[in-house]
Amino acid sequence: MSSTILDGKKLSEKMREEMKRDIAFLQDKTGKFPTLATILVGENPSSKTYVNMKVKSCGAIGMGSKKIHLPEETTTEKLLSVIDELNSDPSINGILLQHPSPPQVDERKAFDRILPEKDVDGVTTLSFGQLSMGEKTFYPCTPYGIILLLEEYNIPFKGKNAVVVGRSPILGKPMAMLLLEKNCTVTICHSHTQNLPEIVRTADIIVGAVGRPEFIKGDWIKEGAVVVDAGYNEGNVGDIDLPGASLKSSFHTPVPGGVGPMTITVLLKQTLDSFKAQIQS
Ligand code: NAP
């Protein structure tokens, strides 16, 4: 069976073009444009790269950005006061606090300080609660990007067995909730799961979100399954053995160019949605 590539790069480009047109139109009409604030605490090189990519992506579609870089020794109190300022600034539509924060920072407390209407990265406890209750909210960007990508290729969800390997608050857990919302029968696996290969073999849709290179093996994949590799490890390698998996799958995301580009695109989309809600109110 030949496996169709779920092209996240292509869908991202299409969505970003649409957003660019939308922003130009709204700016013409209102004289305003959406703005994303990014907060980076410390000097983590990967985090710096991610923040720079997000800021650059804003600029490319005509979205404003405000980049805040705080020193490594920043306290939780200081970070909370920065978030409070951004919360009360009407020119800011979305706030992104780059994960991970240094260990002295209470990151959960900081995430939860972000106003729900500016939580465009979907990181607050409230947004996870609303997602779990099936209410409208901003979603965590990577799992929502995966859903949009699967929808683009008309992948059926209803009644399908979905297996999510990984249960992190930003990826695995919300992924499982979104698949449940789509009426999949969902199994969540983690480091204490027994007989993982057997469970993965039941999956019509498998999402790898483990953070270990090629951890999920090609021979665990059921014939015809849809394979989504959310992992990103050194050397452009995902969490799934994609060459092996794509011998069996019907569709699969490549690494890179699958899930990765969708994450920033959803961040931009949700910032634009927040802006639209603001100008309509
Ligand atoms: P994480 O917070 O480290 O979580 C990893 C999860 O994998 C945990 O739930 C852990 O289980 C589970 N796990 C570890 N070893 C396992 C094993 N032997 N069997 C089954 N499950 C196991 O990682 P994350 O932040 O969710 O990221 C996961 C991957 O996605 C990484 O490769 C990361 O780079 C990538 N990622 C990509 C994007 C993007 O934009 N493309 C965004 C975010 C993350 P326990 O809970 O039991 O420890």
Side-chain angles (χ1 to χ4, degrees), residues 2 13 27 48 64 98 109 111 123 137-138 147 164 178 188 207 224 235 266 272 274:
S2 84
E13 282 165 3
Q27 190 171 3
K48 278 187 181 173
Q98 184 63 44
K109 201 169 177 184
F111 280 148
V123 291
T137 186
F138 290 126
I147 294 289
V164 180
L178 285 167
I188 309 173
V207 180
V266 169
L272 178 55
S274 165

mmCIF file of all heavy atoms in Angstrom, residues 2 13 27 48 64 98 109 111 123 137-138 147 164 178 188 207 224 235 266 272 274:
data_model
loop_
_atom_site.group_PDB
_atom_site.id
_atom_site.type_symbol
_atom_site.label_atom_id
_atom_site.label_comp_id
_atom_site.label_asym_id
_atom_site.label_seq_id
_atom_site.Cartn_x
_atom_site.Cartn_y
_atom_site.Cartn_z
ATOM 1 N N SER A 2 0.550 2.227 -0.881
ATOM 2 C CA SER A 2 1.374 3.447 -0.829
ATOM 3 C C SER A 2 0.697 4.458 0.104
ATOM 4 O O SER A 2 -0.528 4.615 0.088
ATOM 5 C CB SER A 2 1.587 4.018 -2.229
ATOM 6 O OG SER A 2 0.506 4.809 -2.597
ATOM 7 N N GLU A 13 1.016 26.863 4.558
ATOM 8 C CA GLU A 13 1.196 27.970 3.599
ATOM 9 C C GLU A 13 -0.160 28.485 3.138
ATOM 10 O O GLU A 13 -0.380 29.695 3.059
ATOM 11 C CB GLU A 13 2.048 27.512 2.405
ATOM 12 C CG GLU A 13 3.531 27.456 2.756
ATOM 13 C CD GLU A 13 4.377 26.673 1.751
ATOM 14 O OE1 GLU A 13 3.827 26.205 0.728
ATOM 15 O OE2 GLU A 13 5.588 26.531 2.022
ATOM 16 N N GLN A 27 -7.265 45.502 8.503
ATOM 17 C CA GLN A 27 -6.481 46.708 8.798
ATOM 18 C C GLN A 27 -7.004 47.894 7.972
ATOM 19 O O GLN A 27 -7.102 49.017 8.472
ATOM 20 C CB GLN A 27 -4.991 46.466 8.508
ATOM 21 C CG GLN A 27 -4.135 47.618 9.028
ATOM 22 C CD GLN A 27 -2.654 47.325 8.959
ATOM 23 O OE1 GLN A 27 -2.244 46.281 8.474
ATOM 24 N NE2 GLN A 27 -1.850 48.259 9.433
ATOM 25 N N LYS A 48 14.908 30.117 22.223
ATOM 26 C CA LYS A 48 15.177 31.361 21.479
ATOM 27 C C LYS A 48 14.821 31.169 20.003
ATOM 28 O O LYS A 48 14.200 32.023 19.381
ATOM 29 C CB LYS A 48 16.670 31.725 21.585
ATOM 30 C CG LYS A 48 17.027 32.444 22.853
ATOM 31 C CD LYS A 48 18.489 32.885 22.741
ATOM 32 C CE LYS A 48 18.945 33.598 23.981
ATOM 33 N NZ LYS A 48 20.370 33.898 23.976
ATOM 34 N N GLY A 64 1.375 41.964 14.062
ATOM 35 C CA GLY A 64 2.382 42.593 14.904
ATOM 36 C C GLY A 64 2.902 41.616 15.950
ATOM 37 O O GLY A 64 2.268 40.589 16.236
ATOM 38 N N GLN A 98 6.899 31.138 26.394
ATOM 39 C CA GLN A 98 7.635 30.008 25.826
ATOM 40 C C GLN A 98 8.004 28.998 26.920
ATOM 41 O O GLN A 98 8.602 29.351 27.922
ATOM 42 C CB GLN A 98 8.895 30.515 25.093
ATOM 43 C CG GLN A 98 9.677 29.439 24.382
ATOM 44 C CD GLN A 98 8.892 28.755 23.248
ATOM 45 O OE1 GLN A 98 8.224 29.399 22.456
ATOM 46 N NE2 GLN A 98 8.974 27.428 23.191
ATOM 47 N N LYS A 109 1.453 28.547 37.380
ATOM 48 C CA LYS A 109 0.850 29.776 37.899
ATOM 49 C C LYS A 109 0.915 30.879 36.829
ATOM 50 O O LYS A 109 -0.039 31.632 36.639
ATOM 51 C CB LYS A 109 1.625 30.221 39.152
ATOM 52 C CG LYS A 109 0.860 31.139 40.054
ATOM 53 C CD LYS A 109 1.591 31.287 41.374
ATOM 54 C CE LYS A 109 0.864 32.274 42.259
ATOM 55 N NZ LYS A 109 1.568 32.526 43.503
ATOM 56 N N PHE A 111 1.181 30.477 33.471
ATOM 57 C CA PHE A 111 0.246 30.178 32.381
ATOM 58 C C PHE A 111 -1.168 30.609 32.789
ATOM 59 O O PHE A 111 -1.890 31.228 32.022
ATOM 60 C CB PHE A 111 0.233 28.671 32.074
ATOM 61 C CG PHE A 111 1.378 28.175 31.213
ATOM 62 C CD1 PHE A 111 1.880 26.884 31.383
ATOM 63 C CD2 PHE A 111 1.938 28.963 30.220
ATOM 64 C CE1 PHE A 111 2.915 26.407 30.576
ATOM 65 C CE2 PHE A 111 2.979 28.492 29.417
ATOM 66 C CZ PHE A 111 3.463 27.212 29.603
ATOM 67 N N VAL A 123 -2.890 27.246 26.874
ATOM 68 C CA VAL A 123 -2.100 26.621 27.939
ATOM 69 C C VAL A 123 -2.721 26.718 29.331
ATOM 70 O O VAL A 123 -2.189 26.132 30.274
ATOM 71 C CB VAL A 123 -0.673 27.238 28.011
ATOM 72 C CG1 VAL A 123 0.140 26.855 26.787
ATOM 73 C CG2 VAL A 123 -0.722 28.753 28.188
ATOM 74 N N THR A 137 -13.074 27.115 22.965
ATOM 75 C CA THR A 137 -11.958 27.758 23.669
ATOM 76 C C THR A 137 -10.765 27.813 22.707
ATOM 77 O O THR A 137 -10.846 27.327 21.585
ATOM 78 C CB THR A 137 -11.603 26.951 24.947
ATOM 79 O OG1 THR A 137 -10.621 27.650 25.693
ATOM 80 C CG2 THR A 137 -11.082 25.555 24.623
ATOM 81 N N PHE A 138 -9.674 28.434 23.131
ATOM 82 C CA PHE A 138 -8.438 28.286 22.356
ATOM 83 C C PHE A 138 -7.801 26.953 22.748
ATOM 84 O O PHE A 138 -7.732 26.611 23.938
ATOM 85 C CB PHE A 138 -7.480 29.436 22.654
ATOM 86 C CG PHE A 138 -7.944 30.754 22.092
ATOM 87 C CD1 PHE A 138 -8.063 31.876 22.891
ATOM 88 C CD2 PHE A 138 -8.258 30.870 20.748
ATOM 89 C CE1 PHE A 138 -8.486 33.085 22.362
ATOM 90 C CE2 PHE A 138 -8.680 32.071 20.210
ATOM 91 C CZ PHE A 138 -8.801 33.187 21.021
ATOM 92 N N ILE A 147 -5.367 18.054 14.225
ATOM 93 C CA ILE A 147 -6.782 17.865 13.836
ATOM 94 C C ILE A 147 -7.064 18.570 12.503
ATOM 95 O O ILE A 147 -7.677 17.995 11.590
ATOM 96 C CB ILE A 147 -7.731 18.391 14.950
ATOM 97 C CG1 ILE A 147 -7.589 17.552 16.228
ATOM 98 C CG2 ILE A 147 -9.195 18.433 14.455
ATOM 99 C CD1 ILE A 147 -8.155 16.148 16.167
ATOM 100 N N VAL A 164 -2.955 7.503 21.378
ATOM 101 C CA VAL A 164 -2.019 8.608 21.562
ATOM 102 C C VAL A 164 -0.918 8.116 22.493
ATOM 103 O O VAL A 164 -1.210 7.694 23.616
ATOM 104 C CB VAL A 164 -2.723 9.841 22.188
ATOM 105 C CG1 VAL A 164 -1.744 10.991 22.368
ATOM 106 C CG2 VAL A 164 -3.914 10.276 21.330
ATOM 107 N N LEU A 178 -9.185 16.124 22.051
ATOM 108 C CA LEU A 178 -9.694 16.568 20.739
ATOM 109 C C LEU A 178 -10.170 15.375 19.907
ATOM 110 O O LEU A 178 -11.187 15.457 19.221
ATOM 111 C CB LEU A 178 -8.604 17.352 19.980
ATOM 112 C CG LEU A 178 -8.360 18.773 20.493
ATOM 113 C CD1 LEU A 178 -7.071 19.348 19.900
ATOM 114 C CD2 LEU A 178 -9.525 19.694 20.146
ATOM 115 N N ILE A 188 -4.920 6.360 25.718
ATOM 116 C CA ILE A 188 -3.738 7.191 25.988
ATOM 117 C C ILE A 188 -2.662 6.301 26.608
ATOM 118 O O ILE A 188 -2.902 5.639 27.620
ATOM 119 C CB ILE A 188 -4.060 8.334 26.986
ATOM 120 C CG1 ILE A 188 -5.303 9.122 26.543
ATOM 121 C CG2 ILE A 188 -2.860 9.267 27.132
ATOM 122 C CD1 ILE A 188 -5.776 10.146 27.565
ATOM 123 N N VAL A 207 -0.996 8.575 17.153
ATOM 124 C CA VAL A 207 -0.244 9.831 17.311
ATOM 125 C C VAL A 207 0.944 9.555 18.222
ATOM 126 O O VAL A 207 0.780 9.144 19.378
ATOM 127 C CB VAL A 207 -1.123 10.948 17.924
ATOM 128 C CG1 VAL A 207 -0.298 12.234 18.070
ATOM 129 C CG2 VAL A 207 -2.361 11.200 17.079
ATOM 130 N N GLY A 224 -3.071 0.067 6.881
ATOM 131 C CA GLY A 224 -4.085 1.092 6.566
ATOM 132 C C GLY A 224 -4.233 2.180 7.623
ATOM 133 O O GLY A 224 -5.061 3.086 7.461
ATOM 134 N N GLY A 235 18.396 15.853 14.421
ATOM 135 C CA GLY A 235 18.629 15.205 13.135
ATOM 136 C C GLY A 235 17.355 15.025 12.328
ATOM 137 O O GLY A 235 17.281 14.131 11.489
ATOM 138 N N VAL A 266 -1.344 27.514 13.800
ATOM 139 C CA VAL A 266 -2.489 27.585 14.715
ATOM 140 C C VAL A 266 -2.322 28.742 15.710
ATOM 141 O O VAL A 266 -3.287 29.435 16.040
ATOM 142 C CB VAL A 266 -2.695 26.234 15.443
ATOM 143 C CG1 VAL A 266 -3.697 26.367 16.580
ATOM 144 C CG2 VAL A 266 -3.162 25.166 14.467
ATOM 145 N N LEU A 272 -5.309 35.732 15.520
ATOM 146 C CA LEU A 272 -6.221 36.458 14.618
ATOM 147 C C LEU A 272 -7.668 36.318 15.104
ATOM 148 O O LEU A 272 -8.430 37.301 15.099
ATOM 149 C CB LEU A 272 -6.050 35.923 13.182
ATOM 150 C CG LEU A 272 -6.957 36.517 12.102
ATOM 151 C CD1 LEU A 272 -6.859 38.041 12.036
ATOM 152 C CD2 LEU A 272 -6.622 35.923 10.722
ATOM 153 N N SER A 274 -8.647 35.941 18.151
ATOM 154 C CA SER A 274 -8.784 36.793 19.343
ATOM 155 C C SER A 274 -8.971 38.254 18.923
ATOM 156 O O SER A 274 -9.805 38.980 19.486
ATOM 157 C CB SER A 274 -7.532 36.632 20.218
ATOM 158 O OG SER A 274 -7.453 37.649 21.169
#
